[in-house]
Structures are given as C-alpha cells and as structure tokens.
Amino acid sequence: MASWAEFEEKEFETLANAALVMQQLPGGMPVQLFSPGQVLEKTLGFDFATYVDPLGPLYRALFGATPGAPGVRSGPFPSRQVPTSAATGLLNVFLQYKRPQFFDQRHRSKVQPSGQPHLAFMIEERSSKGTDKYAQVGALDNLEVALQSQALVRYVCPSTWQKHELYRRFSSGELLTTSAFVAPRLLRLASQSGYHRRWTFLEATPGRGIPNPEGIELPAETGVDFTMTLTETRQGLGSPRTTTELFASATERTSTTRGSLRQYRKSSDPGQFREHEQQERRMRDEVRLTPQEHQEIVNEAVSLALVARDLRIQWMIAAAPDTA
C-alpha cells in the first residue's frame, strides 16, 4: 500500500533551502551556496532594490527562496558574505525537490523485498494527452550534460513521509544528511532510450536506491555526499570564472534546452505558456531599469532563471570563501 507524504513539495523545498544556508556555516564547509541575485549584487556593486521592484518577477527569479528574497528573514545570516572576487571559482547548482510516497510492508513492488517498507519519488509526470510524461527528467538530464563541469543537477527527496519527522530533522540539523540526492543520469533506462518511472530507496539508506521498473541498486548521495561532491567539483574547476563568464557560458550551452522547454510549454499548457511569456517580458522590461553597462549580464542571469522556473527547480551559485 502506498501513502503520499503528509507535506507538500514546497514545504520540503523551503526547509531544505534554509538548511543548505544555515548548516554550511557551523561546519566550515569550503563551498557556500548563494542566490544568483546575491552574487550579482556583489559583482555589480549595487542593490537590486534600488533599480527594480523587490516584489517583482525579476527580483524573485534571481533571489529565489534564499536570504535576501522578499519575505525571507536575513537576520540569522549576518556573517554570510558573498565571497565573489576575480579569483573566485563559481558553480551552478540546480535542485529539484520531491516529496516521497511511503510503501508499507503490504507493497507489491518488484524491486524491493516483500514485507520491506520503503520510499519512492515519482519521475513520470502527469500531463495532457499526447505530451511527454518524461519531459522534465529529460530536460534535467540534458541540462547537466550541456553544462558539464559548470553545474550539478540533482533530485532531492527526504527519507521520511511524516510531517512531524520532517520538522524534527530540520530542527536537529539532520534534514539534508537523511535526504536522497539523485542525479538525473541515474534514471536513464539501461536497455533503451527513456527514463524510469520512479526512484525507490530505504529510509535507513537514502544514499542508495533502485530505479523502477527493471532497475538495479545504484549509489546515489546523501546530503553529506553531495556536499563532498560540491566541494570537489568546485575545487576542480581549474581557472576561476567570473560571474559574467559563468552566466554567459551557461546561457549559451542551455540554448537547446530552452528551445525544447518553450515548445513543450506551448503544446502542453497554452494558458501557462502565455502567462510565462508575459512574465518573461515583464522581467526583461525590469532589466532595462538597471544601469546600461550591467544589462547584458543581468539578461544572461534571467535566461538561466527562466530555465529554472520552467523546470520548477531551485538555482543557486556555489562559491568558495576567499582565504586571503
């Protein structure tokens, strides 16, 4: 028997975003995560609120749900200064938050032993007739392939389906360490093109899972593993990239993905497509309110923010604190 989690994806996303920010400070993690808007403010040297509406679509797209966004308290993070400089290596991080289903001992799954309770999150999406139910995972997979060493892309799912336990883990600093971080490439079908329907895993071992159907057990990551991957990837970037270089290169490499997403939106939900087009126009109009010499880089950031919006993923920037 399967039961959906007692919380919504947005609820988990809010807690996970806060945990990513709060828990990197006490542990002295070599790499910290910031919103693209925070990094832009540091690079360009001005406060976006001076030029654009803090409640407008541009501000929301670039600040997301991290400190500095409208309605998010910044008080607990006074020492968390963006370390961007000419010598800072930057990395894109894209996270798709999922809520799990819980399968009790009466389940009929063919990939987990009989009588073994487990969790799973869905990859297949509900869609209108004739549209691709795996468009999102395909786009996430393509995003990671296109950006290569410039980005990490992960599905993130907690290893609990109960609301009170979700909040307990957040309060005790265990939310990320007990969550599953799964790269889209692990969800590819081995014998044919396409993707698995879901990812299944045990509560006790979120760092391993089985894609379903017909998958084999594979290593994924916990929050601890992901932090190590994040640090190692950032440190292995080679020559540092400026904010402008990072955004411009990523925008160029995602042009095919953006085009595919646009066509998918247009065919699957014409009403939402029109709404998104109007929102994009408003964002581009807001860009014109920024100083002219900075408009190109802000436009590049908007292009990436629109990809994140259309894929319903959280976009952050990883940077290493200056040691000088």
Side-chain angles (χ1 to χ4, degrees), residues 163-298:
K163 188 168 185 172
H164 72 87
E165 179 63 11
L166 183 80
Y167 279 86
R168 186 199 69 78
R169 293 183 185 185
F170 173 74
S171 298
S172 63
E174 302 172 51
L175 182 60
L176 298 179
T177 61
T178 58
S179 293
F181 286 69
V182 182
R185 63 180 178 275
L186 299 180
L187 299 161
R188 299 172 190 161
L189 291 171
S191 59
Q192 55 186 306
S193 61
Y195 297 90
H196 290 279
R197 189 165 181 255
R198 60 165 62 93
W199 177 268
T200 66
F201 61 100
L202 303 182
E203 179 177 357
T205 54
R208 300 189 66 81
I210 304 174
N212 182 7
E214 301 177 359
I216 60 172
E217 187 175 66
L218 297 170
E221 296 167 314
T222 64
V224 174
D225 302 323
F226 179 71
T227 295
M228 294 177 61
T229 300
L230 182 65
T231 302
E232 292 169 359
T233 303
R234 214 294 312 169
Q235 291 175 340
L237 287 176
S239 57
R241 286 190 292 260
T242 65
T243 308
T244 303
E245 292 169 337
L246 180 73
F247 290 175
S249 177
T251 300
E252 180 181 2
R253 293 189 181 199
T254 57
S255 59
T256 300
T257 300
R258 294 201 310 275
S260 299
L261 280 173
R262 189 175 189 278
Q263 292 304 314
Y264 174 71
R265 291 199 318 272
K266 190 173 184 179
S267 62
S268 63
D269 192 334
Q272 186 183 66
F273 173 75
R274 289 191 293 272
E275 180 182 333
H276 280 194
E277 292 290 291
Q278 292 172 358
Q279 185 182 72
E280 179 175 351
R281 284 194 292 271
R282 290 197 299 271
M283 290 168 65
R284 301 293 185 187
D285 287 341
E286 286 190 80
V287 172
R288 298 190 184 96
L289 299 176
T290 63
Q292 188 171 3
E293 65 269 25
H294 299 320
Q295 289 181 13
E296 182 177 354
I297 184 176
V298 179

Side-chain angles (χ1 to χ4, degrees), residues 60-89:
R60 291 197 304 271
L62 294 180
F63 283 89
T66 54
V72 178
R73 292 173 55 196
S74 57
F77 314 105
S79 62
R80 193 171 166 276
Q81 301 299 318
V82 181
T84 302
S85 71
T88 303

